[in-house]
Amino acid sequence: MSLTQVMEQYQSILEEEVHDIAYETGAVKRKGKLDATTFVQLTIFGFWQDPDIRLSGLAQIGGRREVYVTESAISQRFTPECANLFLRIMQRLAEVRLEGEKVDIPLLKQFSEVIVEDSTSVSLPAALAGIWLGCGEEGWANESAVKAFVRWNMLNGELLGPRLTNGRTNDHKSPFSIEELPEYSLYVADLGFFAIERLCSIARCKNDENKKSGKRYFVSRLQPHTNLYNRKGHLLELKGILPQQVGQVCEIGAVLGQKNGVPVRLILLRVPKEVAEERQARIIEKAKDNGNEPSKEILELVHWTIVITNIPRKMANYEEILVLLRLRWQIERLFRLWKEGGKIDEWRTKNPYRILCEIYAKMCAMIIQQSFIQEGCWLDPLRSIVKAAACLRRECNRIMVAFYEGNLENTVQSLLRTLQSGYRIDRRAAYPSTAQLLLDGLDWQLELLLT
């Protein structure tokens, strides 16, 4: 499916389906000057173009669809029903799939997909705790929060999600199922998603159609206090095998899970003192925020990078495994883009339902934005999603006008041409980016400073 076809589906949702959803949610009870289509689009494209836009700015954008309304008329629309409307629209947009070409990186192309999963949270006013429950108890900070889970395919840039849950949802209870991972795919996630049963399920996941076991791979850091066993079922003692010299690597075979365990490669790498101290500071700060104190064992283990994977050696050596592990940071950059560029966690109002409408509308914009980034510049490994997003913010209202006036295909092609220049990251000699390591090979002495 081409981007133009995807945009036509987005157009169908935002121009046609929106009416049915508006009546189903009760967001529209009678016809007025500001219909559901215009209201939804001026909100989505308005906050996409300027995340800090005021109501007067939204009213001006409505004029591009030949609808002239007051700030008050827009403000009155931000109701609980309209919040449900925007949530449903976001969910529908997230269902549209754009399966583009795969980036030409041999290390990645061995897999059918390279899926990185993570989540990000947005704290909400306490008044919304009945809709999205946070981690804090009643009357405390973070009483209400929403968590967005995302899977991102590093091979073709396809975004799956966001799927929203209560803010207190543990990462290993992700709304994405293991069964959604295709055969011969690679799964990479941070320690929040680490669970022995989860990783074993990935390795043993069966195809629902033929019930045959399809090989799937994972790369993960090892969660402290996780037991590993040798092939004879005896417990491995990490202290006895940890390398003692900075830069020294030890790799051995192990078994994850005592009963019906999965064979894995255990890779242990001693890091420099300054890297370990930086890790310790982060751990102590995070524990302090949660009212806890880290154990001595956890603080001691930061002197090593400890990785487990079921990728065989013939597919990737330990240096390449370390590069694949770095992919987990790419989705952090995506969330930073959403929060710093799209400002999905900032607003100018105290109206809780206007806040919800704004968050959902901004997430709708981020979904559409990623479709353009995927089609426009993903095949270049040195792409900069930050530069591409800045370009799209300046031009995004052309899409809304094309929805209204027609000529969508020419508008899409024009925007894609705009993305073709000035969107690359600069090569770095001292601290190579993940893209450089994937393209040029790994200098693992530098990797020690970056893991």
Side-chain angles (χ1 to χ4, degrees):
M1 182 184 297
S2 69
L3 179 61
T4 299
Q5 291 171 318
V6 167
M7 293 305 300
E8 287 172 350
Q9 289 195 36
Y10 289 158
Q11 181 181 24
S12 176
I13 294 169
L14 295 174
E15 289 279 348
E16 300 169 11
E17 290 185 37
V18 63
H19 294 289
D20 294 334
I21 298 174
Y23 282 106
E24 289 170 8
T25 58
V28 172
K29 297 179 175 63
R30 58 182 177 80
K31 289 186 177 181
K33 183 186 297 184
L34 182 59
D35 63 359
T37 298
T38 301
F39 174 63
V40 166
Q41 290 191 36
L42 70 84
T43 305
I44 291 174
F45 289 96
F47 281 117
W48 185 2
Q49 184 179 56
D50 179 6
D52 294 318
I53 196 169
R54 298 178 182 274
L55 293 179
S56 58
L58 293 179
Q60 292 169 359
I61 290 175
R64 304 193 74 172
R65 293 182 61 91
E66 300 183 43
V67 173
Y68 304 97
V69 293
T70 63
E71 299 173 35
S72 176
I74 296 175
S75 178
Q76 292 172 12
R77 286 298 189 96
F78 294 118
T79 62
E81 293 79 12
C82 273
N84 287 331
L85 167 64
F86 279 104
L87 177 60
R88 290 274 301 276
I89 292 293
M90 188 208 77
Q91 291 169 337
R92 282 290 295 118
L93 293 176
E95 291 174 0
V96 180
R97 302 286 298 271
L98 173 58
E99 299 179 0
E101 295 182 51
K102 297 179 180 180
V103 65
D104 189 18
I105 297 178
L107 179 59
L108 301 186
K109 290 182 75 172
Q110 299 178 93
F111 307 99
S112 62
E113 293 184 3
V114 179
I115 300 295
V116 182
E117 182 172 359
D118 207 346
S119 67
T120 188
S121 296
V122 176
S123 296
L124 300 171
L128 296 172
I131 300 174
W132 298 114
L133 200 58
C135 299
E137 300 298 328
E138 185 175 354
W140 293 80
N142 208 22
E143 182 180 340
S144 178
V146 61
K147 180 176 280 192
F149 285 82
V150 167
R151 279 183 177 175
W152 199 9
N153 186 355
M154 294 289 103
L155 261 178
N156 64 6
E158 182 182 14
L159 188 72
L160 303 177
R163 296 183 185 178
L164 306 186
T165 69
N166 289 319
R168 63 174 54 186
T169 303
N170 193 295
D171 281 346
H172 67 252
K173 294 183 179 178
S174 165
F176 290 99
S177 69
I178 299 302
E179 289 72 21
E180 293 178 70
L181 295 172
E183 293 183 356
Y184 306 107
S185 61
L186 171 63
Y187 178 82
V188 185
D190 209 349
L191 284 179
F193 293 82
F194 187 97
I196 294 176
E197 290 184 4
R198 181 181 181 83
L199 295 179
C200 289
S201 295
I202 291 172
R204 295 202 185 97
C205 188
K206 294 184 178 180
N207 187 293
D208 289 337
E209 294 180 2
N210 54 33
K211 303 299 181 182
K212 293 181 179 180
S213 178
K215 192 69 174 179
R216 291 162 179 82
Y217 305 99
F218 62 81
V219 174
S220 175
R221 293 165 59 208
L222 184 68
Q223 184 77 268
H225 309 300
T226 300
N227 289 334
L228 295 172
Y229 302 87
N230 62 23
R231 302 302 171 92
K232 295 182 179 180
H234 300 302
L235 183 66
L236 284 178
E237 293 290 345
L238 286 183
K239 290 183 179 180
I241 57 176
L242 288 170
Q244 298 304 307
Q245 300 298 321
V246 172
Q248 185 181 359
V249 179
C250 174
E251 179 179 342
I252 64 173
V255 176
L256 178 66
Q258 188 171 20
K259 186 178 181 181
N260 297 323
V262 170
V264 296
R265 295 163 61 189
L266 174 64
I267 301 169
L268 308 103
L269 177 68
R270 180 72 188 241
V271 302
K273 181 180 178 181
E274 57 269 25
V275 175
E277 289 175 347
E278 183 181 341
R279 292 176 175 180
Q280 287 176 339
R282 289 199 302 264
I283 291 172
I284 292 172
E285 182 179 358
K286 185 175 180 180
K288 185 178 179 180
D289 291 341
N290 295 328
N292 301 320
E293 185 175 341
S295 67
K296 291 183 179 179
E297 180 185 357
I298 290 177
L299 292 177
E300 180 63 23
L301 284 176
V302 299
H303 290 276
W304 292 268
T305 292
I306 306 176
V307 183
I308 59 171
T309 181
N310 66 334
I311 299 175
R313 289 182 180 87
K314 65 181 180 180
M315 293 182 66
N317 57 35
Y318 73 82
E319 296 102 327
E320 292 168 326
I321 295 298
L322 293 175
V323 177
L324 292 172
L325 182 66
R326 280 176 57 117
L327 290 173
R328 75 190 192 276
W329 295 113
Q330 298 304 305
I331 204 165
E332 291 288 346
R333 292 188 173 93
L334 178 73
F335 290 147
R336 185 191 303 174
L337 176 65
W338 288 7
K339 290 187 174 182
E340 293 182 1
K343 296 188 178 181
I344 62 171
D345 59 344
E346 297 181 29
W347 42 81
R348 290 179 173 271
T349 179
K350 293 183 179 180
N351 178 345
Y353 295 105
R354 178 175 160 186
I355 290 172
L356 273 187
C357 290
E358 186 170 333
I359 291 172
Y360 299 150
K362 288 177 176 178
M363 287 187 177
C364 289
M366 296 301 99
I367 292 170
I368 302 172
Q369 173 178 281
Q370 183 57 33
S371 295
F372 273 94
I373 292 174
Q374 179 183 347
E375 182 76 8
C377 55
W378 194 262
L379 292 182
D380 185 348
L382 294 173
R383 76 194 86 82
S384 168
I385 62 173
V386 174
K387 293 178 180 178
C391 169
L392 290 167
R393 269 197 303 277
R394 293 191 297 268
E395 305 286 341
C396 66
N397 273 324
R398 292 173 57 190
I399 303 171
M400 184 185 72
V401 174
F403 283 171
Y404 179 64
E405 296 180 352
N407 205 24
L408 179 61
E409 182 174 1
N410 287 342
T411 300
V412 169
Q413 294 306 314
S414 174
L415 288 173
L416 289 177
R417 287 193 297 272
T418 305
L419 286 177
Q420 295 303 311
S421 59
Y423 66 88
R424 304 186 91 207
I425 61 173
D426 298 324
R427 284 182 174 270
R428 302 194 296 259
Y431 299 98
S433 65
T434 299
Q436 285 176 251
L437 294 174
L438 288 168
L439 287 171
D440 305 334
L442 172 68
D443 180 343
W444 58 271
Q445 293 292 341
L446 289 175
E447 176 65 14
L448 296 177
L449 302 176
L450 301 172
T451 303

